[in-house]
Every structure is written in C-alpha cells, then in structure tokens.
Amino acid sequence: EVQLVESGGGLVRPGGSLRLSCAASGFTFSSYSMSWVRQAPGKGLEWLSYISSSSSSTIYYADSVKGRFTISRDNAKNSLYLQMNSLRDEDTAVYYCARGSSFDPWGQGTLVTVSS
Amino acid sequence: QSVLTQPPSASGTPGQRVTISCSGSSSNIGSNTVNWYQQLPGTAPKLLIYDDNQRPSGVPDRFSGSKSGTSASLAISGLQSEDEADYYCAAWDDSLNGRVFGGGTKLTVL
C-alpha cells in the first residue's frame, strides 16, 4: 500500500524553527517528485515547495516561503523533509506531503502552530 | 486571493448533476493540465481527476473533468450524500514556477 506519513509538527514560537518529515512506503520513492502543501485552519490549499526525484536537480518554492523554508529528500531513507525557519503566525497550518506531479496520494498531515 | 477562481459553494439534490468551474489564465490552465481534488471533512485531500479528464482507479465514473482554453470544470452526476466535500482545482503555473490551487468549492448535498 502506498503510504505517506508526516511528522514533526507542533507548537513553536514566532521566529522559531521546525523540521517536518514525510516517510514514504509502498512505492519506489526515488522515482517520484514530491511536494509540500499546507492548509491554514478553515482555509484552502496552498502549495509550498517541489523537489524532483533527483534532489539536486530541480527545486521550487512558493513566494510565501522562499528564503525561509528548505525542502530536501533522502532517497536512501525514503524520506522527504521541510526545514522551516523564521516561522510566523500565518504559517500555522496542517502541512501535507504529496507524491508526484499529480499529488497522489497525500499524507494525513501534521499540524504546525506558531504562537507566542 | 487564489490564482485559480472557483465558486465558494455549490449545491444539489441527490441524483442531480452539478458542475464546479475553475477559471485561470494562459500561464496555468491555458498551458498545463488540470487536476481536481476532493477533501472530505476532517481528511486529507484525494486526487479525483488528473490530466484534465482522467480518473484514477477507484474513482467512480460519476466524476468527470473537462477543459476549454483557460477554464476547467468538474462534473458530478448522480449526486450522492457522500459527495458532500470541498473540491479544489490545481494546475502548474509557468509564470510563478509553482503549483496553484483554486480557493475551493464547498459542495452541499441538500
């Protein structure tokens, strides 16, 4: 069964940092691009970042997180990461990882709360 | 303000056919394929339609997608109570070099 499991969310102060992980199983992780998407409470979906199957080749960020967030992957560990620095109140959201260009499937999400 | 424009709400009665629109521009829908996602209450989004009009295995053929120019549509026929959910369209945007989503449409089955 194809599965994505996010972890690493929690409560963090404004200006703080957090590292999210996404553990993949049930498919050849190294063959797929991956993305991070978030959803603020009661709001819609916002794409954050994309990384190609070969992590050094292509990476994209949404303007809202460029310079603060860093996407990476470890194909040997079947894992995707999102390093989040300089966190703001407006970064409070459920963060999802998703597979491939079609975003199929999605993980269950991990909640990040930025608050003093 | 989302790059892709969807109506915030839609509704229908059981058995009815409803459509949800998604309007974009030449840099996104006009030049790239559209995907649709269904998000049931309290759950993660699920791929419903990819490449404008393709259904992943397991998605009922009651769901269909279409595209014309810079607009796309999701149609749901034979509406069922379990279709009550939020629906999002998405496409790659060549100008932004990123994926863009519609604001989402909340479908209510009356």
Side-chain angles (χ1 to χ4, degrees):
Chain A
E1 178 196 4
V2 174
Q3 195 170 15
L4 299 172
V5 179
E6 300 93 339
S7 61
L11 175 64
V12 62
R13 302 281 192 229
S17 298
L18 213 53
R19 189 196 195 205
L20 305 184
S21 298
C22 169
S25 60
F27 65 99
T28 305
F29 180 71
S30 58
S31 296
Y32 288 85
S33 64
M34 297 292 295
S35 293
W36 286 99
V37 179
R38 70 183 177 188
Q39 185 170 35
K43 302 297 184 182
L45 302 172
E46 180 188 14
W47 171 82
L48 299 179
S49 185
Y50 162 98
I51 186 168
S52 60
S53 55
S54 170
S55 59
S56 60
S57 62
T58 305
I59 288 176
Y60 297 116
Y61 296 100
D63 286 344
S64 60
V65 303
K66 198 172 297 181
R68 300 189 300 126
F69 291 10
T70 302
I71 191 172
S72 63
R73 65 189 296 163
D74 186 336
N75 288 340
K77 294 184 177 180
N78 291 337
S79 292
L80 175 73
Y81 306 102
L82 187 68
Q83 176 66 42
M84 305 187 296
N85 298 330
S86 303
L87 284 162
R88 307 165 180 167
D89 291 351
E90 55 264 35
D91 294 319
T92 294
V94 174
Y95 285 71
Y96 297 100
C97 60
R99 183 185 73 164
S101 58
S102 295
F103 293 6
D104 180 40
W106 299 54
Q108 87 290 348
T110 187
L111 176 62
V112 172
T113 303
V114 184
S115 175
S116 54
Chain B
Q1 195 79 351
S2 302
V3 174
L4 304 182
T5 301
Q6 296 180 236
S9 64
S11 63
T13 56
Q16 204 172 24
R17 182 178 188 271
V18 299
T19 61
I20 296 172
S21 62
C22 176
S23 178
S25 68
S26 58
S27 64
N28 42 65
I29 294 178
S31 52
N32 297 290
T33 60
V34 176
N35 296 339
W36 288 90
Y37 303 92
Q38 178 193 57
Q39 186 175 33
L40 297 169
T43 69
K46 167 193 163 186
L47 179 66
L48 201 61
I49 297 288
Y50 68 98
D51 288 353
D52 299 335
N53 54 22
Q54 301 299 302
R55 280 187 310 277
S57 60
V59 173
D61 59 6
R62 302 186 296 106
F63 295 90
S64 62
S66 63
K67 188 177 83 172
S68 178
T70 59
S71 294
S73 292
L74 172 70
I76 309 172
S77 60
L79 198 61
Q80 300 179 4
S81 58
E82 56 261 40
D83 298 333
E84 194 160 280
D86 293 324
Y87 293 85
Y88 295 90
C89 59
W92 185 264
D93 191 294
D94 294 331
S95 296
L96 297 174
N97 260 339
R99 177 82 56 166
V100 291
F101 284 95
T105 298
K106 184 176 185 61
L107 175 64
T108 301
V109 181
L110 302 169

